[in-house]
């Protein structure tokens, strides 16, 4: 696995920043953001993580392929199939108990397909979360604008009043 | 918990109910009679049949005599479990499946293009609102500085005009 020691010393780059206070350009810029593959603790990761398809994991895909999958319909269909297979398993155990293996395999295949469908809904959820965050940020900013406007008006009003008071006391 | 996680948990629940159903049924099943040459495991000591063998329910008076000649009945609790357990567990399985369907129906799905369009709209609006906020903030800070300057002048004048006692 990792060939470095368990507690490695910090990287030696701090020496390059000795004169940063006097001359910021003498020290190197921070490294740009990584793109593509990167290695962390000896394991390789991708920047853009994509859900691997079922075929690449050697699992048969039961729902139809295509660009636009009707998730609700497929999930419901697979649920019905699952119930049917469980009933079939019960029957097989009564009639021919030695042939349970095929049925159990079918049931686990259905479960894998169901989980894969749910996992492929996650990017959609991520976008929905982003939309929600943007909406709440816009809401907060609008609220802040209103608050600032209100305070400025109050301040102007107070200044105007104090001016009247001062003028009044001056004329007196 | 978000709805996709709930759906995943519901799937695990269905699997668990199914596994428990088959497990308990297999564990608690009474032994089965393999062939007529072996003794019946449910009925190990059958007494020889008598005339009163068919126990007629319309003759309660004759009930005690044939009851004694009857072999000991199997203990009551397993017979109840065998009938009630599958019903309760299949009920649980169907409930779990129905809950899954209900959760699927509650999924707020929309197409990817719709989402991307909405994100772009929101980003544009965010920019506009951000600029407005910055403008207001700068104006407010300017006014704050002016007021501070005036306040300092006023307090200086107050101190200078105040006659020492």
């Amino acid at each position: 696995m990792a060939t470095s020691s368990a507690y490695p010393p910090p990287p030696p780059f701090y020496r390059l920043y000795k004169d940063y206070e006097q001359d910021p350009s003498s020290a190197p810029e921070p490294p740009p953001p990584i793109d593509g593959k990167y290695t962390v603790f000896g394991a390789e990761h991708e920047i853009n993580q994509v859900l691997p398809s079922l075929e690449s994991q050697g699992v048969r895909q039961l729902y139809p392929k295509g660009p636009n999958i009707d998730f609700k319909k497929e999930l419901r269909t697979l649920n019905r199939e699952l119930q049917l297979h469980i009933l079939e398993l019960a029957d097989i155990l009564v009639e021919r108990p030695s042939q349970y293996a095929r049925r159990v395999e079918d049931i686990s295949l259905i479960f894998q397909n169901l989980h894969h469908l749910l996992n492929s809904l996650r990017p959609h959820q991520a976008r929905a979360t982003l939309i929600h965050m943007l909406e709440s940020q816009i809401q907060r900013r609008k609220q802040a604008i209103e608050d600032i406007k209100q305070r400025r008006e109050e301040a102007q009003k107070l200044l105007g009043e104090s001016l009247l008071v001062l003028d009044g006391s001056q004329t007196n | 918990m978000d709805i996709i996680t709930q759906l995943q948990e519901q799937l695990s629940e269905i699997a668990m109910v199914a596994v428990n159903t088959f497990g308990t049924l297999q564990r608690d099943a009474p032994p089965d009679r393999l062939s007529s040459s072996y003794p019946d495991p449910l009925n190990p000591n059958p007494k020889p049949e008598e005339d009163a063998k068919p126990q007629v329910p319309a003759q309660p008076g004759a009930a005690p005599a044939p009851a004694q000649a009857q072999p000991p009945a199997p203990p009551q609790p397993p017979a109840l479990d065998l009938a009630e357990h599958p019903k309760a567990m299949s009920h649980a399985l169907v409930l779990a499946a129905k809950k899954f369907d209900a959760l699927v129906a509650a999924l707020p799905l929309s197409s990817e293009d719709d989402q991307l369009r909405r994100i772009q709209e929101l980003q544009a609006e965010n920019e506009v609102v951000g600029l407005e906020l910055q403008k207001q903030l700068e104006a407010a800070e300017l006014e704050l500085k002016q007021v501070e300057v005036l306040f300092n002048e006023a307090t200086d004048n107050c101190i200078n005009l105040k006659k020492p006692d």
Side-chain angles (χ1 to χ4, degrees):
Chain A
M1 246 248 297
T3 50
S4 50
S5 67
Y7 295 103
F13 306 121
Y14 65 93
R15 292 192 206 109
L16 301 165
Y17 292 82
K18 227 190 308 197
D19 299 315
Y20 188 72
E21 294 274 294
Q22 288 83 33
D23 180 19
S25 59
S26 69
E29 290 282 315
I34 306 175
D35 201 8
K37 290 196 179 28
Y38 61 95
T39 311
V40 171
F41 293 132
E44 212 179 60
H45 301 268
E46 283 272 344
I47 289 283
N48 212 2
Q49 283 184 328
V50 169
L51 182 68
S53 74
L54 277 175
E55 272 90 26
S56 58
Q57 295 169 17
V59 173
R60 189 157 61 98
Q61 183 167 322
L62 294 171
Y63 55 90
K65 277 184 260 250
N68 290 336
I69 309 177
D70 185 359
F71 285 102
K72 292 198 190 186
K73 179 166 141 267
E74 298 302 332
L75 281 168
R76 269 194 274 259
T77 316
L78 280 175
N79 191 19
R80 300 265 177 289
E81 293 270 331
L82 178 65
Q83 303 290 306
L84 241 140
H85 275 80
I86 291 180
L87 275 176
E88 268 186 35
L89 178 63
D91 270 332
I92 282 275
L93 283 174
V94 168
E95 312 274 318
R96 299 178 282 272
S98 53
Q99 298 184 5
Y100 69 94
R102 169 83 195 280
R103 295 275 165 262
V104 169
E105 256 181 52
D106 284 342
I107 291 182
S108 79
L109 182 69
I110 296 186
F111 268 119
Q112 279 175 322
N113 272 275
L114 275 165
H115 274 295
H116 189 266
L117 265 179
L118 287 178
N119 284 338
S120 43
L121 276 176
R122 290 291 186 186
H124 182 280
Q125 185 192 13
R127 282 189 290 266
T129 313
L130 182 61
I131 289 176
H132 186 68
M133 274 167 51
L134 280 172
E135 281 173 356
S136 65
Q137 189 178 36
I138 288 178
Q139 174 67 23
R140 277 201 311 268
R141 285 187 178 184
K142 284 190 176 152
Q143 185 65 37
I145 289 177
E146 287 305 313
D147 280 340
I148 292 181
K149 275 195 191 152
Q150 195 191 359
R151 297 284 184 222
R152 277 175 70 195
E153 278 169 26
E154 271 179 33
Q156 295 282 0
K157 204 170 68 156
L158 277 176
L159 280 174
E161 277 175 15
S162 58
L163 201 58
L164 283 174
V165 164
L166 283 173
D167 278 339
S169 60
Q170 252 188 350
T171 51
N172 285 350
Chain B
M1 223 176 11
D2 62 288
I3 191 159
I4 301 189
T5 315
Q6 279 182 312
L7 275 163
Q8 288 175 323
E9 297 274 305
Q10 196 56 31
L11 268 186
S12 307
E13 169 83 23
I14 294 180
M16 203 175 63
V17 167
V19 161
N20 287 342
T21 310
F22 291 121
T24 44
L25 282 174
Q26 282 189 316
R27 180 194 61 186
D28 297 332
D32 196 18
R33 190 167 194 185
L34 288 174
S35 112
S36 47
S37 44
Y38 296 127
D40 186 3
L42 288 172
N43 204 354
N45 300 317
K47 294 271 167 58
E49 312 297 354
E50 295 185 7
D51 292 350
K53 174 190 142 187
Q55 207 180 25
V56 181
Q59 297 177 5
Q68 283 167 5
Q70 279 285 344
Q76 280 302 328
L80 271 182
D81 278 356
L82 279 179
E84 294 302 316
H85 249 95
K87 274 200 211 137
M89 287 191 281
S90 48
H91 185 64
L93 187 65
V94 168
L95 273 182
K98 279 205 158 99
K99 195 161 165 210
F100 185 82
D101 273 337
L103 283 171
V104 164
L107 269 176
L109 277 186
S110 54
S111 81
E112 184 178 336
D113 295 329
D114 283 342
Q115 279 188 316
L116 290 173
R117 226 178 301 140
R118 179 90 179 116
I119 289 179
Q120 279 178 331
E121 282 172 12
L122 286 172
Q123 271 183 318
E125 196 181 337
N126 206 11
E127 285 285 329
V128 165
V129 168
L131 286 173
E132 167 83 21
L133 179 62
Q134 199 177 9
K135 210 174 59 161
Q136 288 283 330
L137 207 55
E138 280 169 8
E141 280 189 14
L142 192 64
E143 282 179 17
L144 178 66
K145 283 205 173 44
Q146 286 173 336
V147 165
E148 271 183 13
V149 163
L150 286 172
F151 184 72
N152 284 338
E153 269 190 43
T155 43
D156 285 341
N157 292 342
C158 273
I159 292 176
N160 293 341
L161 290 172
K162 201 173 164 110
K163 291 198 193 322
D165 291 322

